Amino acid sequence: AQSVTQPDIHITVSEGASLELRCNYSYGATPYLFWYVQSPGQGLQLLLKYFSGDTLVQGIKGFEAEFKRSQSSFNLRKPSVHWSDAAEYFCAVAKRGGKLIFGQGTELSVKP
Amino acid sequence: NAGVTQTPKFQVLKTGQSMTLQCAQDMNHNSMYWYRQDPGMGLRLIYYSASEGTTDKGEVPNGYNVSRLNKREFSLRLESAAPSQTSVYFCASKVAEPEYNEQFFGPGTRLTVL
């Protein structure tokens, strides 16, 4: 069965430090992968997606993610975190018909 | 464009009461979805509608019904609310094809069942 795992429930980083959020997926076919961000009390906003081609994907707000088929991973990175990046981050894979399977989410806190 | 709108934003029900959560999108999207979000579990799909006139069960459909009223609107009904349905509910929509098109999410409805 398809699944998405985000191993880190909560991460705290200092402002200006680099960030990497982990995502592992289980899916038989070529996956369509997404990262969404949810600010407190808000809906989800797409950061980036991978569907084919270059395995390093650029997104909004300075985020990028790298698809590694051999490791079944799609980790999200940002070189320098800003206080406004504090939010919850969700990795997801699309099933047939476009239905999304989400990971459990990683809550990011940013220390001043 | 308002995008995806949901009403109400907050609701408190007593066990056994019924209610309907409303969702509308103005992006001319074919597909619409209802998710619930619970702490530590991410979002789980309740029901979806691939196109106007069709609906299908998702991962956690028990206790819910849906209606795709027209292309714009997709409602979620709780016939007899239970405390286990306390959650945040999100509606989303997308262009049906290709499958890797992103889903656009509404702001959510926070439901508490006492």
Side-chain angles (χ1 to χ4, degrees), chain A residues 16-36:
Chain A
S18 64
L19 172 70
E20 182 168 27
L21 302 182
R22 295 183 290 164
C23 172
N24 293 98
Y25 68 90
S26 170
Y27 192 67
T30 299
Y32 301 139
L33 295 160
F34 304 80
W35 274 100
Y36 282 87

Side-chain angles (χ1 to χ4, degrees), chain A residues 1-70:
Chain A
Q2 301 96 336
S3 65
V4 175
T5 302
Q6 294 178 244
D8 304 305
I9 296 172
H10 190 197
I11 285 182
T12 300
V13 300
S14 297
E15 192 167 15
S18 64
L19 172 70
E20 182 168 27
L21 302 182
R22 295 183 290 164
C23 172
N24 293 98
Y25 68 90
S26 170
Y27 192 67
T30 299
Y32 301 139
L33 295 160
F34 304 80
W35 274 100
Y36 282 87
V37 61
Q38 183 183 32
S39 298
Q42 305 294 314
L44 278 71
Q45 180 184 21
L46 181 73
L47 284 175
L48 48 78
K49 66 182 179 185
Y50 169 81
F51 57 96
S52 70
D54 194 348
T55 57
L56 185 62
V57 180
Q58 301 298 320
I60 63 171
K61 305 185 180 187
F63 285 92
E64 66 177 26
E66 187 170 12
F67 170 58
K68 294 185 177 180
R69 185 186 299 276
S70 61

Side-chain angles (χ1 to χ4, degrees), chain A residues 43-111:
Chain A
L44 278 71
Q45 180 184 21
L46 181 73
L47 284 175
L48 48 78
K49 66 182 179 185
Y50 169 81
F51 57 96
S52 70
D54 194 348
T55 57
L56 185 62
V57 180
Q58 301 298 320
I60 63 171
K61 305 185 180 187
F63 285 92
E64 66 177 26
E66 187 170 12
F67 170 58
K68 294 185 177 180
R69 185 186 299 276
S70 61
Q71 298 178 20
S72 297
S73 69
F74 188 55
N75 294 348
L76 182 72
R77 300 194 294 249
K78 187 170 185 178
S80 178
V81 169
H82 187 262
W83 63 266
S84 61
D85 293 323
E88 190 156 20
Y89 293 80
F90 292 96
C91 181
V93 65
K95 294 173 60 173
R96 283 187 65 178
K99 301 184 291 287
L100 292 177
I101 300 172
F102 285 88
Q104 301 91 326
T106 297
E107 184 176 355
L108 173 66
S109 298
V110 180
K111 290 190 299 186

Side-chain angles (χ1 to χ4, degrees), chain A residues 95-97 99, chain B residues 30-35 44-62 64-68 74-76:
Chain A
K95 294 173 60 173
R96 283 187 65 178
K99 301 184 291 287
Chain B
N30 310 93
S31 302
M32 298 185 73
Y33 306 81
W34 276 106
Y35 295 89
R44 292 178 292 167
L45 183 64
I46 305 171
Y47 270 94
Y48 66 101
S49 171
S51 61
E52 186 178 356
T54 69
T55 60
D56 284 290
K57 295 178 181 179
E59 186 184 355
V60 287
N62 290 347
Y64 305 95
N65 285 299
V66 290
S67 295
R68 183 74 182 265
F74 187 40
S75 62
L76 178 72

